Amino acid sequence: MVNVPRLVIAAPSSGSGKTTVATGLMAAFSERGLAVSPHKVGPDYIDPGYHALAVSTGASGTSGSVGAPGPAGAPGSAARVRPGRNLDAYMCGPGLIGPLFAHGAADCDLAVVEGVMGLYDGASGQGELASTAQVSKLLRAPVVLVVDASSQSRSVAALVHGFASWDPEVRIGGVILNKVATDRHERLLREALDESGVPVMGVLRRADGVTAPSRHLGLVPVAERRAEAVGSMRELAARVRAGCDLEALLALARSAPALDVTPWEPAVEPVAPVAGAGRPVIAVAGGSAFTFSYAEHTELLAAAGADVVPFDPLRDEELPEGTRGLVIGGGFPEVYAPELSANEPLRKAVAELAYSGAPVAAECAGLLYLARSLDGAPMCGVLAADARMAGRLTLGYREAVAVGDSALARAGTRVRGHEFHRTVLEPGAGAAPAWGVVHPERRVEGFVQQGVHASYLHTHWAAAPELARRFVERCTA
């Protein structure tokens, strides 16, 4: 049984202020000495970076405590660095949501889960699958609805009533009103909501908005603006703390019943090391250009017997010493194409590693980095393909099957993944494609050559831990 107090922060639609409120609450509660576990519904990579910053920035605060600490509430418990974690019922399946949540929230006093899109919006054409509502039910967690009140007064009650009554299994325990104009506006909103039976737990004024800069794929990641983001986070925490009833929100979180799940563990059968060789070093790209990753990936690689070592393709001119495998996840290489191209020593080192037959797993940004060029700038040249920015956003869930054997997957392995990019690669697939997409359309994409598996498709290895084990196994060969 898992007894972590928890809240799901949802909204009627995108743009209502979910990220502002969820991140501000994470920081505000962390400042009060609580160990806060941050989570995000769906495949989003950027928001979890802000979540992780919120709980690490807030952990150094000394502004007192809210209520009595839970089991992990001993002094200093909030200081542990916690990654933002995703809860994606499409990619991982509904059955893994509770276990993954419990894994991330272990030894925490409070978990805050930011929703995705509107409360009841999920995977296209598949009902409630992967929606915030479904995740809230799987976690038996109360929902706080963030409402953009900028263009309404009494109608807010009808809106909240509709969302609260749509699915009786979804428990909306409170409302936070965002973008409220004046004291009079607030009074009208509160009077209307008195009739709805859903309490108002916070009010943020229009001037309270603390926003992060955005570009073609959403917010600019924390890794690209950390110093500025730290200052914004403290200001956001202060404004949320002043505008929200933290005591009422914590009481609501503590009303969540025990969750009958066993925490997920990155327990895969370890790969037997080669005699005298020790654990294989797997280099994982990071830094400002490669910020998209799931924490569970590195946990699975380590559990399978690898030493995971991060490196920054923008700064490091060599791969980590002893590298025998390489993982290059998603990010924004198109923003840093000149800088990535200028680091010729590392590009050559990556190419040499790939040509040697060493395992290389590349997703989206990693695929572009391995190409010949990106917007005309030379990349690693491992793949006979060229990439460029495009006007159209490619976005959505995919079902795919491995076309042939590779360092990452056996032929016939089925996965669910997600695409999210504004680039085009020509050609889009090699002679040996990485995946055959079977839904929502049928096509092949990506490249398998020697030890390289490169694709636009983002996958979540917690749903297929055999991918991590197979990759480590190939690194020991």
Side-chain angles (χ1 to χ4, degrees), residues 95-161:
L96 267 183
I97 296 302
L100 285 171
F101 169 82
H103 170 69
D107 301 324
C108 278
D109 304 310
L110 173 67
V112 178
V113 181
E114 181 189 339
V116 63
M117 299 185 293
L119 174 59
Y120 294 107
D121 300 326
S124 179
Q126 301 201 44
E128 72 171 7
L129 179 62
S131 67
T132 305
Q134 183 191 34
V135 170
S136 75
K137 291 191 288 186
L138 292 169
L139 298 181
R140 304 184 68 191
V143 174
V144 176
L145 197 67
V146 179
V147 176
D148 178 351
S150 58
S151 300
Q152 58 185 315
S153 57
R154 191 164 180 266
S155 294
V156 73
L159 175 68
V160 172
H161 172 75

Side-chain angles (χ1 to χ4, degrees), residues 19-411:
T19 301
T20 296
V21 171
T23 308
L25 287 174
M26 292 171 190
F29 280 120
S30 294
E31 285 183 351
R32 299 294 186 93
L34 297 181
V36 179
S37 178
H39 302 264
K40 170 69 180 182
V41 177
D44 185 284
Y45 291 98
I46 300 175
D47 290 349
Y50 284 92
H51 296 171
L53 178 65
V55 299
S56 64
T57 302
S60 63
T62 56
S63 54
S65 62
V66 176
S77 66
R80 173 182 166 189
V81 176
R82 295 181 181 275
R85 293 182 184 268
N86 295 74
L87 300 171
D88 194 308
Y90 181 89
M91 292 215 286
C92 295
L96 267 183
I97 296 302
L100 285 171
F101 169 82
H103 170 69
D107 301 324
C108 278
D109 304 310
L110 173 67
V112 178
V113 181
E114 181 189 339
V116 63
M117 299 185 293
L119 174 59
Y120 294 107
D121 300 326
S124 179
Q126 301 201 44
E128 72 171 7
L129 179 62
S131 67
T132 305
Q134 183 191 34
V135 170
S136 75
K137 291 191 288 186
L138 292 169
L139 298 181
R140 304 184 68 191
V143 174
V144 176
L145 197 67
V146 179
V147 176
D148 178 351
S150 58
S151 300
Q152 58 185 315
S153 57
R154 191 164 180 266
S155 294
V156 73
L159 175 68
V160 172
H161 172 75
F163 272 81
S165 61
W166 179 260
D167 185 342
E169 294 184 54
V170 176
R171 177 190 170 200
I172 296 183
V175 174
I176 292 177
L177 299 169
N178 193 26
K179 300 181 183 178
V180 176
T182 62
D183 289 346
R184 180 176 180 275
H185 187 202
E186 177 181 342
R187 185 170 64 255
L188 292 172
L189 294 166
R190 286 183 178 275
E191 288 173 354
L193 285 167
D194 281 345
E195 304 174 22
S196 74
V198 181
V200 176
M201 293 186 170
V203 175
L204 299 179
R205 297 299 174 92
R206 288 179 184 173
D208 288 345
V210 180
T211 59
S214 62
R215 56 174 176 237
H216 57 281
L217 294 184
L219 297 180
V220 175
V222 163
E224 300 184 37
R225 54 184 296 270
R226 188 172 183 87
E228 177 191 357
V230 168
S232 296
M233 196 64 63
R234 296 195 185 283
E235 182 182 356
L236 177 58
R239 291 182 174 182
V240 168
R241 186 170 60 245
C244 295
D245 188 341
L246 298 187
E247 296 289 351
L249 288 162
L250 186 59
L252 179 63
R254 287 176 172 165
S255 72
L259 197 59
D260 188 12
V261 297
T262 300
W264 177 84
E265 291 290 343
V268 293
E269 182 184 353
V271 175
V274 176
R279 293 166 64 94
V281 172
I282 295 180
V284 177
S288 298
F290 298 95
T291 55
F292 295 6
S293 65
Y294 294 124
E296 292 82 1
H297 286 200
T298 54
E299 292 171 348
L300 282 163
L301 291 171
D307 283 338
V308 179
V309 182
F311 74 102
D312 186 348
L314 288 174
R315 301 178 183 277
D316 297 324
E317 295 188 346
E318 298 178 349
L319 290 169
E321 184 177 357
T323 293
R324 294 169 66 185
L326 176 61
V327 175
I328 317 174
F332 288 99
E334 61 270 24
V335 176
Y336 296 96
E339 293 91 336
L340 290 169
S341 185
N343 190 351
E344 188 174 357
L346 184 67
R347 289 194 290 113
K348 289 183 176 179
V350 169
E352 289 172 2
L353 184 75
Y355 293 149
S356 76
V360 178
E363 288 185 348
C364 201
L367 168 72
L368 306 183
Y369 186 54
L370 294 182
R372 275 186 307 226
S373 66
L374 172 55
D375 282 338
M379 292 290 114
C380 295
V382 174
L383 306 176
D386 299 282
R388 58 178 172 80
M389 285 293 292
R392 183 174 64 89
L393 174 65
T394 299
L395 171 68
Y397 286 123
R398 308 284 187 258
E399 291 185 34
V401 60
V403 176
D405 286 340
S406 71
L408 188 65
R410 295 181 186 275

